[in-house]
Structures are given as C-alpha cells and as structure tokens.
Amino acid sequence: MTPPPRAARSAFRREAGASVAFIARNVHLVRRYWGWEMAFMVYAIAGAMSIALIGLDQGSQELVFSLMIGAVFWNYLSTVFSVIAEQIAWERWEGTLEYTMMAPVRRLSQLLGSTLFAVLYGLLHTTVVLLALVLFFGLDLSGADFGAAAVFMIAGSASVVGIGMMAAILPLIYVERGSQMTFVLQSLLLLVSGVYYSVEILPDWMQVLARFSPFTYVLEGVRQALIHGTPIDAQLDLLWPLVVMAALFIPLGIRVFGAAERYAKRTGKLKRVG
Amino acid sequence: MPAALPPALLADHVTKRFQVGRRKPPVIAVDDVSLRIERGEVYGILGANGGGKSTLIRLFSTLLTLDSGTVEVFGHDIERDEMAVKRHINRVSVDAAFFKKLSPAENLAYAARLYGLEVGAARREAVRILARLGIAESRLGRPLEQMSRGMQQKVAIARAILTSPSLLLLDEPTTGLDPRSRLDVQSYVEELRRSHEITVILTTHDLAEAERLCDRIGILDRGRLVAEGTPAELRMRVAAEKGLPPTMESVFMAYTGRSLDEDVEEGEAEEPG
C-alpha cells in the first residue's frame, strides 16, 4: 500500500534528520579533535609539497603540476574513501556501534550522512592543501578547464563512495583485522592508480588492476583538464568507466553492507570490540 | 468488546547459538526461552555470568538475529517489522556507549536526530531528566570523558528516556556505580514507572535492586529460563521446596547452583563485554 503523502513526508524528514545526525556528530568530533586535524593538515600540505618539489628538482613545471595534482586529488579521494570505509571501525573503537545500529534509522540514511560528511570534509581539506600548493609554487592555472576537472571530481567521488561502502563491511565482519584490511586496500589503490606516475610503467598485471580503480580515471582526467585544458567531451573515454563504476558500486555497496549487517547480527559481531 | 492489546513483549521458544571456534560445537547462549511481559511491568532477569541475560537483551534490541523462535514487541514481529520495534525500544547497557570526546549535549543531540526529535526540545527534556538525576546543566558542555562513570551512566539513562521508549531495556545499569549513583538510578526507575507508560526489562546482579524494582523476575541458567515469578513467590518457593531461607540470595543459589559472591568474582575475572 502506498503511504499517504503526509506520512511519506514525515518519514522522509525523519530519515533526512538521521542523515544530518551523522554529519553533525562527525563535525563535532572534528572540532573536539582539532589539534589532530591541524596536525594532519600540516602533514598533508608538507607531503604534497615534498612530492611536487621533485618536479622542481627536475626542472619541469609540468611534472610539478602533475605531481601536485596526484598529491592533492589522492588526498581528496583517499579522505572520502577512508571516512566512509572506517565509519564502522570508529564506532567500534568508541563503543557506540550497537547504539547506532539499534536506532530506528535506515542504513541508506546512515550511509548517506556519512558520505555527505566525507565529501564535504574531503573538499575542505583538499581546498586548503591546494591553495597552499598554488601559493607556494605560483602555478599558472589560466589555461585549465575547471569545469572538466569538477566533472571528474563528482563522478570519481560517486564511484569511490561505492568502494568505500564495500570496504566498510570489513570492520563489521572481521572484528580484529577489518580496519587493517581497509588500510591495505587503500594502499593498493595508491600503488596501482597512477597517483604520481603513469600507469603504463606498471607491470601488466598491475595495469589490469589499475583499470578497476576509479582513482586512475579521476587522476588522468583531472591532469588533462588542469594541465592541458582538455574539455570534458574530449575525455569521454575516461569518464564513462567512472559513471559505470558509480552506477554499479553504490547500489552494490548498499546491498553488501546490508548483507554484512545481517551476518554480524547472526554471529554477534556487533558487540565485540577489536 | 475491544480486542485485548498485545503484551509489551512476547518471546516464544527463543534460541540463540554462537560458533566460537571452527572445530568446537556451538555455544547455546539462549535456550528455548519463552516470556510474556505485560505493559507497564518491570521484569527482572537474573542469572549467573554467561547465563544468557545480555544475549537475551541484545535479541530484544534487534542487535542479534534469532536462530529459532519468535519475539513480538507490542505486537510487532522483531524480524519482520524491525523498524517499528526499534521505535518502541531503547537500551542502557552496562558500559555507557558514548563518543567520550563529545559532550553530553553533543551526544544527546546525535541521539535526538537519530530518533527524529527536535534537538532543542530534546535538550530541554534531557536537562530536566539530568537535573532529576543530580547533574547540573552546566556539565552538559564538557567532554563525557571528564565525567565519572556514574554520571556517564545517568547521561545514558537520560539519552534513552528522552526518546520516550515504550520498552526500556536496562542491561545491568547500576553495575560498578557508587552507592549514591546506584540509589539515584533506582529511584529514577521507580519514578519512571509511576509517571510514564513504560515497560522495563532489567538485568542485574544486585538482588536487592531486583527485589525493590521488579514486579516479576525470571532466572536464566545456562540460557534456560529456570524459574519465574514475583520476588515474594520465588522466595516462598525456595523456602517451601528446598528448605532454604526465604531470601533472594537463596533463590539465586537454588536456581543457578552458585552463590552471588562466586558469580561476581567470576564476572570480575572475565573479559568485559
């Protein structure tokens, strides 16, 4: 039976409020851990600068640009990935996992709230790093196609969100080792996605893995857009895999998360602290 | 004649097993338990450590799935209508589950949003409940990690109550609290049942607490419900059937085969959780 409009609106408001709960909670946590946030920010800026300075050392402005884009956009995508992937691990660590899972909230609303926070947090973090680098290196961005770069950011974020949701199940079903597995997965994405080099220099088997990483397409697309000013219609071969991955990974991530929750409830793994 | 309202909780032949090792047989945590808890009742669950009390509470909280049997909360099947059940219940566990770096106000705002409450109104209600439990509003802005365990547990109770649960699950809420905090919590539970239409399921190791607060008590031993009745009925039964003094300590010993002291010692030696 279709619910009456008022009931549907009320249910929508309740679920939207629940999504806001996760965003607001994470904002409060960031505020309470502001010292660590500053430390991570300084580390991210220093790390990105150190890598981009390799280009300066080689006397190539294009290499500086390429390395900087790698560092900055890896920072963004990996932040989005880790915030989503580690949401369960954080709750387990804090001891609140059972409380959150017991609340009358659809998992979709929870994942949506965590995802929105991850994207906003990642954008803010990355904007600061990007500004610091542009000011330090005095880069000329007048020929860049920011619109095309933004399209790759959006499509890339969506596909990374899907992978993040699937990775989030690891701490749910592997109490002790789940977070470590998530960390290893993130390391492998760094290795195969051509963050600081072309994927063509990788061994053949790693190049196969690179094709399944959305990071590969985002980084290549953003480099083309910002360094060479290549418009989006000339980069459709890089864009469509991202769109397909987003369309596949997000629904798959939600389904897999639901299945993992049922498994955790059957085996009692919501309770234990790793 | 109007149809009778369903009870607050109806558990029918509930069983839960856990596989603790690949080669070991499964451990039966809850074994064929059937319960009927009426609306407005305070029902106590007593039992030795590892007897299945917390597993039963987790099953009722939707945090575990049933291996067999059924549970209905106010007529809603706990598996088929999980979201409706979740709106009826809230739980306070032995360890106050909070983001300890956040303040009580921030944790309560999180809870309010999860349960679809207006944050400002929820805060006002929480302030009222906490004042009743002896915590001033001025404490609400400081991180929870700076509060004593007793105060944290009171915030946990306020968090549960402000969502107006029809069924409140209290899983050893006073364990480890100082006598004053314990008394505050017990008085508040008594006040709740007078002022709210609320049903409470309480697990505890404190036999005096169980006798003071509970209308009926069920005793779990190795996952099985081995006795049930009012505190007075249980005391009289052990006196009549087993020739023991009519005390709750005798009831506990008679149905679990151990004294409370042995149980507490063992519980302290066990890994928490």
Side-chain angles (χ1 to χ4, degrees):
Chain A
M1 196 175 80
T2 310
R6 184 178 287 180
R9 273 203 303 275
S10 161
F12 176 78
R13 265 204 303 275
R14 196 171 50 233
E15 293 299 326
S19 293
V20 172
F22 292 96
I23 299 171
R25 181 200 71 188
N26 288 352
V27 168
H28 287 142
L29 281 170
V30 166
R31 240 183 45 210
R32 293 282 178 186
Y33 285 102
W34 69 269
W36 276 113
E37 292 298 331
M38 295 303 292
F40 288 143
M41 182 70 82
V42 170
Y43 187 83
I45 292 171
M49 269 184 191
S50 314
I51 289 161
L53 280 167
I54 295 170
L56 212 57
D57 190 43
Q58 297 295 310
S60 166
Q61 193 69 5
E62 186 171 325
L63 184 57
V64 170
F65 219 161
S66 178
L67 290 171
M68 196 187 90
I69 288 169
V72 169
F73 287 87
W74 168 255
N75 181 69
Y76 170 71
L77 294 171
S78 63
T79 300
V80 171
F81 173 83
S82 60
V83 169
I84 297 169
E86 289 172 14
Q87 57 183 313
I88 295 298
W90 288 351
E91 294 237 26
R92 203 185 275 289
W93 175 258
E94 296 274 2
T96 57
L97 184 58
E98 285 193 325
Y99 183 79
T100 297
M101 298 305 236
M102 192 184 70
V105 173
R106 294 189 190 286
R107 232 31 88 208
L108 183 62
S109 308
Q110 179 180 357
L111 292 168
L112 186 66
S114 300
T115 298
L116 282 174
F117 171 79
V119 170
L120 292 173
Y121 177 80
L123 278 176
L124 184 68
H125 204 263
T126 303
T127 303
V128 174
V129 176
L130 182 62
L131 280 176
L133 264 67
V134 167
L135 288 173
F136 184 81
F137 289 103
L139 294 171
D140 177 16
L141 294 169
S142 57
D145 187 330
F146 288 105
V151 170
F152 276 102
M153 282 277 282
I154 293 165
S157 302
S159 45
V160 169
V161 163
I163 299 182
M165 286 177 185
M166 285 187 266
I169 70 164
L170 294 171
L172 198 57
I173 57 181
Y174 300 105
V175 177
E176 277 90 10
R177 300 273 176 254
S179 297
Q180 293 152 14
M181 290 178 188
T182 306
F183 196 67
V184 168
L185 178 61
Q186 194 174 335
S187 310
L188 290 176
L189 287 169
L190 170 66
L191 182 64
V192 303
S193 302
V195 177
Y196 301 118
Y197 38 78
S198 165
V199 291
E200 284 152 23
I201 65 154
L202 294 170
D204 290 347
W205 65 272
M206 277 195 183
Q207 290 192 38
V208 173
L209 294 178
R211 282 193 206 123
F212 293 97
S213 165
F215 293 66
T216 307
Y217 304 96
V218 178
L219 290 163
E220 184 54 28
V222 170
R223 279 193 177 111
Q224 290 295 332
L226 294 185
I227 300 174
H228 305 296
T230 311
I232 194 71
D233 53 4
Q235 298 201 67
L236 295 179
D237 58 327
L238 290 173
L239 186 62
W240 75 259
L242 283 176
V243 174
V244 170
M245 282 190 215
L248 279 177
F249 290 165
I250 291 179
L252 189 61
I254 293 167
R255 285 187 76 89
V256 168
F257 194 92
E261 184 184 346
R262 285 191 294 280
Y263 170 80
K265 284 183 176 180
R266 184 164 55 78
T267 53
K269 294 201 171 178
L270 290 182
K271 176 193 164 193
R272 289 179 53 198
V273 177
Chain B
M1 200 172 83
L5 291 170
L9 186 134
L10 191 62
D12 188 33
H13 298 289
V14 169
T15 296
K16 184 68 190 173
R17 301 178 192 86
F18 292 113
Q19 193 71 44
V20 290
R22 282 184 191 162
R23 289 161 194 267
K24 292 180 184 168
V27 172
I28 303 177
V30 174
D31 190 1
D32 197 32
V33 168
S34 295
L35 280 177
R36 181 186 173 98
I37 300 173
E38 299 299 339
R39 290 167 183 243
E41 203 175 8
V42 177
Y43 188 94
I45 301 175
L46 297 182
N49 286 312
K53 304 184 296 295
S54 291
T55 300
L56 200 56
I57 292 287
R58 282 192 168 84
L59 286 166
F60 298 160
S61 312
T62 74
L63 293 169
L64 289 170
T65 52
L66 308 169
D67 285 345
S68 61
T70 58
V71 176
E72 285 181 12
V73 174
F74 294 97
H76 299 285
D77 184 277
I78 207 160
E79 299 210 313
R80 286 199 305 272
D81 206 0
E82 184 180 320
M83 202 56 83
V85 170
K86 283 178 169 178
R87 288 195 194 99
H88 273 292
I89 61 170
N90 214 315
R91 165 175 170 254
V92 177
S93 57
V94 62
D95 46 345
F98 286 112
F99 288 88
K100 302 277 195 309
K101 278 275 175 206
L102 298 187
S103 66
E106 288 162 343
N107 274 290
L108 293 168
Y110 172 57
R113 288 191 178 101
L114 284 185
Y115 282 81
L117 307 174
E118 200 267 308
V119 174
R123 185 192 162 99
R124 287 190 292 278
E125 176 65 4
V127 166
R128 192 189 63 73
I129 298 167
L130 286 170
R132 167 64 192 80
L133 286 165
I135 297 180
E137 187 175 359
S138 58
R139 301 297 302 262
L140 295 190
R142 282 183 250 163
L144 262 154
E145 64 186 3
Q146 294 175 10
M147 287 182 148
S148 68
R149 205 176 107 54
M151 290 173 93
Q152 289 184 19
Q153 197 64 332
K154 288 174 183 178
V155 177
I157 288 168
R159 178 178 63 176
I161 297 302
L162 71 85
T163 66
S164 305
S166 325
L167 176 60
L168 181 62
L169 305 163
L170 298 175
D171 191 6
E172 298 188 34
T174 58
T175 298
L177 299 194
D178 62 85
R180 173 63 194 267
S181 295
R182 185 177 294 197
L183 206 61
D184 286 342
V185 171
Q186 290 169 352
S187 304
Y188 188 66
V189 172
E190 285 180 323
E191 188 181 313
L192 263 183
R193 66 173 312 188
R194 284 196 301 269
S195 58
H196 290 64
E197 285 179 17
I198 193 167
T199 307
V200 179
I201 301 180
L202 169 77
T203 74
T204 182
H205 272 116
D206 184 337
L207 300 180
E209 176 176 281
E211 186 159 19
R212 173 180 168 180
L213 297 178
C214 300
D215 299 307
R216 283 190 305 144
I217 290 171
I219 298 181
L220 278 183
D221 184 40
R222 279 162 278 199
R224 293 189 74 88
L225 186 68
V226 291
E228 194 182 38
T230 66
E233 283 169 358
L234 291 170
R235 280 189 280 105
M236 291 303 116
R237 203 180 300 165
V238 292
E241 292 174 5
K242 306 192 188 270
L244 292 169
T247 63
M248 287 306 294
E249 174 81 20
S250 301
V251 170
F252 190 86
M253 280 176 65
Y255 290 110
T256 66
R258 59 209 301 171
S259 74
L260 189 65
D261 288 344
E262 283 172 337
D263 191 49
V264 169
E265 271 177 29
E266 189 179 294
E268 284 167 353
E270 276 178 7
E271 191 181 321

